[in-house]
């Protein structure tokens, strides 16, 4: 039985009190205009049916929030695009019925994609290779799931399948389907947002669509609008939010093609995820999306206006593929050719219009693809946002809670931007070591554009550019790049040093994937001063060290939980509900902590927010569990006794992993992040401590943290 199925079973064991929408509306929305409850107003409209928009719609629906999605394209792209799913995103996918399991089952075996290979051609000399998987990546010590290699269009298919299971429908432009859009659980294709008007009570969106060859428009009213419409976000442009950062780091052409012959050869001879190919005829990076299926994307440097898209016709692309492969292939089929520009930018604001218009995913941040932070950061944006939107619309929290989405996620976006840039620079270290400094190529291109472009004909500009690049690629000739040539030997030695020191392009960043932390927002900040400032991004892999600091992701540890028939093992991350706005208080089975739990239940009841208490028992306490907690917490029943599962007798306990004593306690938010911590126990009135902790997490009022914890 999958984890998600098991969690459905044991969540049914607890009685929780629910409250109708609007029950405490006047309290929760006291800082804003009241939301419309008119059936003609959609609670949440999401623009963009990519992974971020679809995942957000799924999370909101599971939390009981009616939402629908607008997508400007008439069909879903089959271009592979993003393909690396990091640890944290896979953890979030575990919370969706069977999604992580389906990805793991459908992705290529890890031994076919764990390496990056640097070579003179796909059939030629190997300059070096880097294995990006370490033994601990398979041991599931710090996370219950591993990373995955799975193309974006395949992920979208699985997300759509999950959405269909909860009665979502993909709609066309037919009038009957447009009318049902306001009922929620709809994805309306072929509709582009063209204007936005924020009124006192709702957001008025105008979308255009083609019907029988005629351009029409329709108005959609919503309470909250989320722009998840990609790097060129229409929503971001319409509301006038600028991006800040580095533009035009590099221009490339992406060639999506199929070749089972090439896939079979690489699968048998040199399997890998990325192939960096350098020879005198061509330079490119090949992404092997699926060797068994023979699906690839080739990334080629692009230098407009001297080059244009017509220079990359399917036939010309085939010839480039042959040059990079080192031989002709009989079955190459070019599916698609797209130009794109690499940026490193973050939106100056993530929320606006009284926190009712929100940007997520690539609409809020555009990264270099190095390290795969783009889609993954967007998936985590959605997870941070979903429970807050639900909390506001269900009347638990004020509208101002949504501003904590920006407070928390924007620093993460800024950090991931810097990390992606550093990783991109690391990728450029390899061609630089071979005598091909990309910065020189870009400078030459700029000189041609600015200095001679004004008077030289385009044909001569193109000839000049081609000639300069041909001279550059001559650095890769076999006569120069070999151990017998002093210069070639020196360059190869430099290349080996880059690989050995981990200074080339990296795939995994466990410390950043799992260890990112919110320092302010919907939480009680730590009273302990930082010993050192957060480490600046270096572009090198750093291992994750579990932390229970406020704002951190809850550490993973396997625990055993009693069901009606047996003890079953789950992760601590599975203790956090995914189908309701519910907080989790983790305590040890000691008298003071039971008092704290009772106080938490009472405060949560007053605030109309669901709360579960988890009592963490030591590994040797299986037979002592049930009766004590029941007596200590009556009449409240929404609690769960769990027992630590240690990997070995000398493995750390839960409280040691958290760097706390068993007198401490953790309050965990619905997104698995820690809202409040008492390392040594509560100093003073436990009811006051819990009131301040919940108030901070729900955005009800600021707190004086020094009065609540030790």
């Amino acid at each position: 039985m999958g984890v998600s199925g098991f969690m459905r079973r044991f969540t049914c064991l607890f009685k929780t009190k629910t409250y109708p929408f609007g029950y405490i509306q006047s309290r929760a929305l006291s800082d804003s205009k009241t939301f419309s409850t008119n059936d003609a107003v959609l609670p949440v409209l999401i623009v963009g049916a990519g992974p971020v928009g679809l995942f957000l719609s799924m999370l909101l629906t599971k939390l009981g929030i009616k939402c629908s999605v607008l997508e400007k394209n008439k069909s879903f792209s089959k271009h592979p695009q993003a393909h690396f799913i990091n640890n944290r995103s896979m953890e979030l996918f575990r919370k969706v019925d069977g999604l992580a399991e389906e990805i793991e089952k459908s992705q290529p075996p890890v031994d076919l994609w764990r390496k990056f290979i640097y070579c003179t051609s796909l059939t030629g000399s190997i300059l070096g290779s880097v294995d990006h998987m370490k033994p601990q990546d398979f041991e599931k010590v710090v996370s219950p799931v591993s990373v995955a290699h799975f193309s974006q269009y395949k992920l979208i298919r699985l997300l759509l399948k999950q959405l269909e299971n909860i009665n979502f429908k993909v709609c066309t432009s037919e009038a009957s389907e447009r009318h049902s859009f306001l009922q929620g659980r709809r994805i309306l294709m072929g509709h582009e947002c063209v204007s936005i008007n924020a009124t006192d009570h709702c957001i008025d969106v105008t979308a255009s669509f083609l019907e029988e060859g005629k351009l029409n428009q329709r108005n959609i009213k919503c309470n909250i609008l989320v722009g998840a419409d990609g790097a060129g976000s229409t929503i971001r442009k319409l509301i006038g939010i600028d991006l800040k950062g580095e533009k035009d780091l590099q221009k490339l052409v992406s060639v999506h093609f199929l070749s089972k012959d090439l896939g079979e050869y690489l699968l048998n001879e040199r399997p890998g995820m990325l192939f960096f190919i350098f020879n005198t005829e061509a330079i490119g990076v090949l992404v092997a999306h699926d060797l068994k299926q023979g699906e690839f994307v080739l990334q080629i440097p692009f230098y407009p206006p001297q080059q244009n898209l017509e220079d990359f016709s399917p036939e010309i692309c085939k010839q480039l593929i042959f040059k990079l492969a080192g031989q002709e292939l009989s079955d190459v089929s070019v599916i698609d050719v797209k130009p794109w520009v690499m940026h490193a930018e973050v939106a100056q604001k993530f929320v606006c219009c009284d926190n009712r218009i929100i940007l997520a995913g690539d609409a809020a941040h555009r990264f270099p693809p190095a390290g795969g932070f783009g889609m993954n950061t967007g998936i985590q944006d959605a997870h941070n946002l979903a429970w807050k939107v639900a909390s506001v619309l269900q009347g638990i929290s004020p509208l101002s809670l949504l501003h904590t989405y920006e407070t928390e996620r924007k620093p993460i976006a800024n950090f991931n931007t810097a990390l992606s840039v550093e990783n991109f620079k690391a990728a450029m270290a390899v061609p630089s070591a071979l005598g091909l400094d990309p910065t020189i190529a870009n400078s030459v291109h700029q000189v041609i554009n600015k200095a001679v472009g004004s008077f030289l004909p385009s044909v001569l500009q193109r000839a000049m550019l081609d000639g300069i690049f041909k001279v550059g690629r001559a650095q890769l000739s076999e006569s120069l790049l070999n151990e017998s040539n002093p210069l070639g030997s020196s360059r190869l030695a430099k290349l080996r040093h880059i690989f050995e020191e981990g200074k080339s392009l990296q795939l995994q960043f466990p410390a950043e994937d799992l260890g990112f932390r919110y320092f302010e927002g919907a939480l009680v900040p730590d009273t302990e001063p930082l010993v050192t400032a957060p480490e600046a991004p270096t572009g090198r892999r750093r291992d994750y060290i579990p932390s229970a600091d406020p704002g951190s992701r809850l550490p993973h540890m396997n625990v055993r939980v009693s069901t009606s028939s047996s003890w079953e093992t789950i992760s601590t991350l599975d203790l956090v509900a995914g189908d309701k706005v519910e907080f989790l208080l983790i305590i040890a089975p000691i008298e003071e902590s039971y008092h704290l739990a009772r106080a938490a239940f009472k405060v949560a009841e007053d605030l109309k927010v669901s709360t579960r208490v988890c009592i963490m028992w030591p590994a040797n306490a299986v037979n002592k569990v049930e009766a004590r907690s029941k007596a200590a917490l009556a009449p409240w029943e929404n609690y769960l006794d769990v027992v630590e599962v240690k990997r070995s007798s000398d493995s750390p306990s839960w409280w040691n992993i958290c760097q706390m004593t068993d007198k401490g306690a953790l309050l965990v938010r619905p997104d698995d992040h820690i809202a409040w911590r008492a390392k040594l126990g509560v100093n003073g009135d436990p009811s006051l401590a819990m009131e301040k902790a919940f108030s901070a997490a729900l955005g009800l009022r600021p707190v004086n943290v020094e009065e609540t914890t030790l």
Side-chain angles (χ1 to χ4, degrees), residues 130-347:
V130 179
D131 188 343
H132 291 281
M133 301 299 290
K134 294 186 176 182
Q136 62 264 36
D137 296 331
F138 303 100
E139 293 170 357
K140 299 186 178 179
V141 174
V142 298
S143 176
V145 66
S146 297
V147 300
H149 174 45
F150 196 63
S151 300
Q152 181 172 313
Y153 78 94
K154 295 179 181 178
L155 175 61
I156 286 176
R157 284 180 188 170
L158 292 186
L159 290 170
L160 289 171
K161 180 181 175 182
Q162 291 284 339
L163 286 166
E164 288 171 6
N165 291 339
I166 54 174
N167 300 317
F168 261 78
K169 184 179 180 183
V170 178
C171 304
T172 65
S173 298
E174 293 179 12
S176 60
E177 294 179 337
R178 293 200 306 274
H179 178 73
S180 66
F181 184 77
L182 294 176
Q183 299 172 11
R185 305 194 189 210
R186 297 292 185 272
I187 302 168
L188 192 55
M189 306 297 291
H191 280 61
E192 183 171 9
C193 182
V194 294
S195 72
I196 301 169
N197 180 38
T199 70
D200 284 347
H201 298 293
C202 68
I203 307 294
D204 196 348
V205 174
T206 302
S208 66
F209 61 97
L210 278 174
E211 188 172 43
E212 297 179 351
K214 182 180 178 181
L215 188 65
N216 293 324
Q217 291 188 343
R218 66 169 300 189
N219 292 326
I220 303 167
K221 297 182 186 300
C222 62
N223 285 323
I224 293 174
L225 172 65
V226 180
D229 51 339
S233 173
T234 299
I235 301 299
R236 186 185 66 235
K237 293 171 183 174
L238 287 173
I239 57 181
I241 293 179
D242 293 328
L243 295 163
K244 185 177 180 180
E246 298 181 64
K247 289 182 182 292
D248 299 347
L249 290 174
Q250 191 172 16
K251 294 181 174 69
L252 300 108
V253 167
S254 176
V255 182
H256 179 204
F257 72 95
L258 301 176
S259 172
K260 287 197 172 182
D261 287 350
L262 180 59
E264 185 175 356
Y265 170 78
L266 293 174
L267 190 152
N268 292 323
E269 299 296 328
R270 50 178 73 172
M273 176 192 284
L274 299 185
F275 296 82
F276 298 81
I277 311 160
F278 307 94
N279 63 47
T280 56
E281 293 189 275
I283 293 172
V285 179
L286 185 72
V287 184
H289 281 267
D290 195 317
L291 291 177
K292 288 185 177 179
Q293 294 178 2
E295 184 171 29
F296 302 91
V297 170
L298 176 62
Q299 304 287 2
I300 309 165
F302 182 42
Y303 296 95
Q306 291 77 25
Q307 294 178 336
N308 55 57
L309 201 54
E310 286 70 34
D311 296 322
F312 296 91
S313 66
E315 187 55 40
I316 291 174
C317 287
K318 281 186 183 182
Q319 296 305 315
L320 279 169
I321 292 166
F322 297 161
K323 290 174 182 178
L324 293 167
Q327 64 180 38
E328 291 197 3
L329 300 160
S330 61
D331 67 339
V332 171
S333 174
V334 175
I335 306 300
D336 195 13
V337 179
K338 288 184 177 180
W340 64 282
V341 184
M342 186 187 301
H343 304 286
E345 298 176 298
V346 176

Side-chain angles (χ1 to χ4, degrees), residues 442-462:
N442 290 333
S443 297
V444 167
H445 185 227
Q446 289 177 13
V447 167
I448 293 175
N449 284 340
K450 295 177 181 179
V452 301
S454 59
F455 61 87
L456 276 183
S458 58
V459 175
L460 290 179
Q461 291 181 47
R462 171 66 181 267

Side-chain angles (χ1 to χ4, degrees), residues 57 82 123 179 220 302 344 370-371 384 411 450 462 482 565 613 619 669:
S57 67
T123 56
H179 178 73
I220 303 167
F302 182 42
N384 179 286
K450 295 177 181 179
R462 171 66 181 267
N482 65 74
S565 58
V613 170
R669 305 187 323 192

Side-chain angles (χ1 to χ4, degrees), residues 15-75:
K15 297 177 182 177
T16 56
K17 201 169 184 178
T18 59
Y19 299 88
F21 175 75
Y23 184 84
I24 49 172
Q25 183 88 342
S26 60
R27 171 182 67 81
L29 295 178
S30 59
D31 67 337
S32 67
K33 301 292 184 184
T34 303
F35 285 133
S36 173
T37 56
N38 191 315
D39 287 342
V41 178
L42 187 67
V44 180
L45 173 63
I46 300 166
V47 178
V52 176
L54 295 179
F55 187 58
L56 178 60
S57 67
M58 188 183 307
L59 294 177
L60 288 173
T61 302
K62 286 180 173 291
L63 290 169
I65 300 302
K66 187 188 295 185
C67 64
S68 287
V69 184
L70 279 185
E71 170 56 46
K72 68 178 181 181
N73 294 305
K74 292 184 176 181
S75 61

